[in-house]
Amino acid sequence: MKPQAAAPGADAKPAPEEPIEKLLASATIDRGQSAAKACSACHNFQKGGPNAIGPNLFGIIGRARASEPGFGYSDAMKAKGGEWTIEDLNKFLTSPKEFVPGTKMNFPGFARGSQRADVIAYLNSLADNPKPLPVAKQ
């Protein structure tokens, strides 16, 4: 019996992920708002809005992790420390449980980088003073 040849590309590694800066260049707030509807079952996006199953996400970019008043964060999220940067949000939105092992968040993440960039652009717009989005280096 002859050994079977591997399928073409079977040994190929997945294409590397585009940098978030490059993806943000073509991101839109409207597409992000649409994609973030998946998040609205657990999160509120309104300034001063109440926490729900998850914390309110208004002003998330630049905010300290585990700092939304009145929300009961997991010990893992509290221990993570730092603030929500665009790069960290990209990692978290890719796989919340990989970025913060032990998080209470059950959302599996957004697989497509372009979708994460749209959601990040939308989340960034939800602030009194939105942060400038990073630009890809030429």
Side-chain angles (χ1 to χ4, degrees):
M1 190 168 181
K2 229 166 124 177
Q4 290 184 338
D11 293 332
K13 293 180 182 173
E17 183 76 29
E18 292 280 351
I20 190 62
E21 297 84 1
K22 186 172 181 183
L23 295 169
L24 284 167
S26 59
T28 72
I29 292 169
D30 288 342
R31 283 194 313 257
Q33 183 176 18
S34 179
K37 286 179 182 171
C39 311
S40 65
C42 297
H43 295 279
N44 186 314
F45 299 94
Q46 302 300 313
K47 181 177 181 177
N51 294 315
I53 294 169
N56 183 311
L57 297 179
F58 185 90
I60 187 75
I61 296 178
R63 183 167 80 200
R65 276 192 269 280
S67 67
E68 183 63 19
F71 186 75
Y73 290 94
S74 65
D75 289 340
M77 185 62 78
K78 290 184 220 174
K80 185 77 174 172
E83 68 177 38
W84 284 114
T85 64
I86 287 171
E87 185 59 42
D88 282 352
L89 267 174
N90 183 46
K91 291 174 187 173
F92 186 71
L93 292 173
T94 299
S95 177
K97 292 193 181 294
E98 272 187 39
F99 187 71
V100 182
T103 184
K104 292 179 187 177
M105 189 158 143
N106 286 321
F107 184 69
F110 292 103
R112 288 190 343 263
S114 60
Q115 194 173 30
R116 290 191 307 274
D118 289 335
V119 170
I120 290 168
Y122 171 62
L123 291 174
N124 189 58
S125 76
L126 302 176
D128 290 330
N129 297 300
K131 306 281 186 221
L133 294 173
V135 180
K137 297 175 185 168
Q138 299 294 348

